Amino acid sequence: ICLLDAAEQLTGEGEDRYLDVLSLCSRMYFVISALPDFPLAQCITGSGLEFVPVTPEAFPPENIRQMTEITVRRRGKKLDDVVSRAVQEKQGSGNPLYLSMLLQRLFMMDGEEFAAAEAMAPGMEGLHRYMMGLISRMPEDLNGMVRYLLEETGKHFDAEEFSVTAALLAESAE
C-alpha cells in the first residue's frame, strides 16, 4: 500500500496531467489524497489501475467492502467473511488511510504470530481467530491507528525509531 498525499503537487498544470508513478507499481494499492478541485480521475486514466473515488467524510459501507476486497486480492491474501466484516465494522474504517493501516497490520503477521494462531486452532480457523483478536485490540480512530501501527512495526522489525516516532506523534497531538 502506498499513500500519496497532495497529488496535485506531483503533476504539472493543464490537460497533460498524469501520475506516471502509478504505472511503475502495478501490484501496489494506492491511496491518494488531493484537493477537491484536482482532476484525479483524469490523472489516473491510462494507468490500468482500478479507480475508486472516495470522499473520506462519505466513505459508505460498500466502498469499505470494495477497498478491503481489492486490497486483500492485490496482496494475494484471503479473509473469511467474519474477519472481513470485523474490519469493515471498525469505527475508523470509513477513512481510507485508517482502513489501509488496519489491513497492513493484518498482512505483517510474523512467524511467532502464525505459531500463536496455530496454537489457538489448526489452520485457517486459528489464523482467523488470531486476526479477530488483533482487530478487537486496534484503536478506533486514525491518530490511534497511526501510533499503533508504528509501535507494532517497531516490535516486528526490532527498530526503536518506529516507537520513538510513535511517541513523538502522541506528544504532538496533545
Side-chain angles (χ1 to χ4, degrees):
I1 297 173
C2 179
L3 306 171
L4 294 176
D5 189 25
E8 68 280 354
Q9 296 178 18
L10 299 174
T11 68
E13 296 290 327
E15 295 182 22
D16 293 336
R17 289 182 158 182
Y18 178 66
L19 291 172
D20 59 352
V21 67
L22 301 180
S23 59
L24 298 175
C25 308
S26 62
R27 297 194 69 215
M28 191 172 288
Y29 186 79
F30 290 91
V31 176
I32 304 170
S33 73
L35 293 174
D37 61 342
F38 180 70
L40 191 55
Q42 171 189 331
C43 295
I44 293 174
T45 302
S47 68
L49 299 174
E50 296 178 59
F51 177 61
V52 180
V54 173
T55 302
E57 297 80 27
F59 204 45
E62 178 57 26
N63 285 94
I64 297 170
R65 184 192 61 73
Q66 186 178 30
M67 184 173 167
T68 301
E69 289 175 1
I70 291 169
T71 303
V72 169
R73 184 176 62 239
R74 285 195 173 213
R75 291 293 302 254
K77 309 284 185 186
K78 291 185 180 181
L79 295 179
D80 79 341
D81 290 339
V82 174
V83 174
S84 185
R85 240 184 339 274
V87 166
Q88 295 167 40
E89 290 172 357
K90 287 296 276 188
Q91 184 178 349
S93 290
N95 181 309
L97 179 56
Y98 177 96
L99 182 57
S100 297
M101 295 175 89
L102 185 156
L103 293 170
Q104 183 61 39
R105 173 57 187 98
L106 296 180
F107 299 147
M108 68 184 230
M109 286 178 57
D110 61 18
E112 289 180 18
E113 289 179 301
F114 281 108
E118 187 68 24
M120 294 175 113
M124 294 304 286
E125 176 66 25
L127 182 60
H128 291 145
R129 282 189 199 173
Y130 190 86
M131 286 180 167
M132 290 296 291
L134 282 176
I135 293 167
S136 71
R137 292 187 300 273
M138 289 182 189
E140 295 285 344
D141 65 301
L142 180 59
N143 289 336
M145 180 58 86
V146 169
R147 287 190 299 272
Y148 169 80
L149 191 60
L150 285 168
E151 290 167 358
E152 289 297 306
T153 302
K155 290 176 194 172
H156 277 74
F157 296 103
D158 197 26
E160 187 178 333
E161 61 267 17
F162 288 104
S163 297
V164 170
T165 302
L168 290 171
L169 282 173
E171 187 71 27
S172 70
E174 295 175 4

